[in-house]
């Protein structure tokens, strides 16, 4: 991921009500959080305060405490969010549910293809951040979760 994309994420977080955002793929983990109204970007071993040079930066290394903190499951594609496989079927997950790695948590429809989104780690759902049939963007937070 290049610096322009990271700068774009910082701008999105600055203009939103989100206080924390985490993006993780096989190559990189990016954590954005607002501290004193200034987002801090931590990517791998690189940590960059976005607007205030004195902003506190948490280490990027994983710790037991960091593992239990809230983070976000984001949309891997642009599409339409569905909480269940059909209108008359219960949602895959609800607030308070414990989810195992590999469990389906929602469906994202893109170009008439239904993509089952699976959880990448064990967690507990703290909040569902989008409503059923809502259009979502790439990287948009779908769920706030607490890793187990």
């Amino acid at each position: 991921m290049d610096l322009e994309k990271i700068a774009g994420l910082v701008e999105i977080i600055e203009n939103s009500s989100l206080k924390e955002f985490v993006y993780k793929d096989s190559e990189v983990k990016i954590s954005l959080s607002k501290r004193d109204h200034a987002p801090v970007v931590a990517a791998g071993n690189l940590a960059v305060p976005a607007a205030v040079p004195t902003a506190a930066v948490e280490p990027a290394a994983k710790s037991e405490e960091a593992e239990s903190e809230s983070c976000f499951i984001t949309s891997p594609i642009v599409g339409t969010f569905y909480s269940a496989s059909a209108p008359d079927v219960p949602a895959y997950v609800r607030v308070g549910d414990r989810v195992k790695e590999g469990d389906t948590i929602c469906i994202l429809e893109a170009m008439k293809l239904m993509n089952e989104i699976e959880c990448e780690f064990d967690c507990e759902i703290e909040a569902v951040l989008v409503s059923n049939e809502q259009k979502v963007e790439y990287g948009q937070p779908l769920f706030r979760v607490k890793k187990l």
Side-chain angles (χ1 to χ4, degrees), residues 2-68:
D2 62 20
L3 290 177
E4 287 181 24
K5 289 182 181 178
I6 294 172
L9 286 173
V10 169
E11 185 176 336
I12 290 169
I13 297 300
E14 282 179 337
N15 297 326
S16 75
S17 62
L18 289 176
K19 293 185 181 187
E20 185 175 335
F21 174 81
V22 177
Y23 171 80
K24 181 179 176 184
D25 66 16
S26 62
E27 298 175 5
V28 68
K29 177 179 180 182
I30 297 175
S31 299
L32 301 173
S33 60
K34 288 184 182 178
R35 308 272 164 114
D36 298 323
H37 304 293
V40 175
V41 179
N45 293 331
L46 172 68
V48 183
V52 180
T54 59
V57 177
E58 294 181 19
K62 290 183 179 179
S63 67
E64 288 182 27
E65 184 177 301
E67 286 296 316
S68 66

Side-chain angles (χ1 to χ4, degrees), residues 56-91:
V57 177
E58 294 181 19
K62 290 183 179 179
S63 67
E64 288 182 27
E65 184 177 301
E67 286 296 316
S68 66
E69 291 180 6
S70 294
C71 61
F72 296 94
I73 297 175
T74 60
S75 176
I77 58 175
V78 174
T80 304
F81 174 87
Y82 293 101
S83 59
S85 59
D88 57 341
V89 176

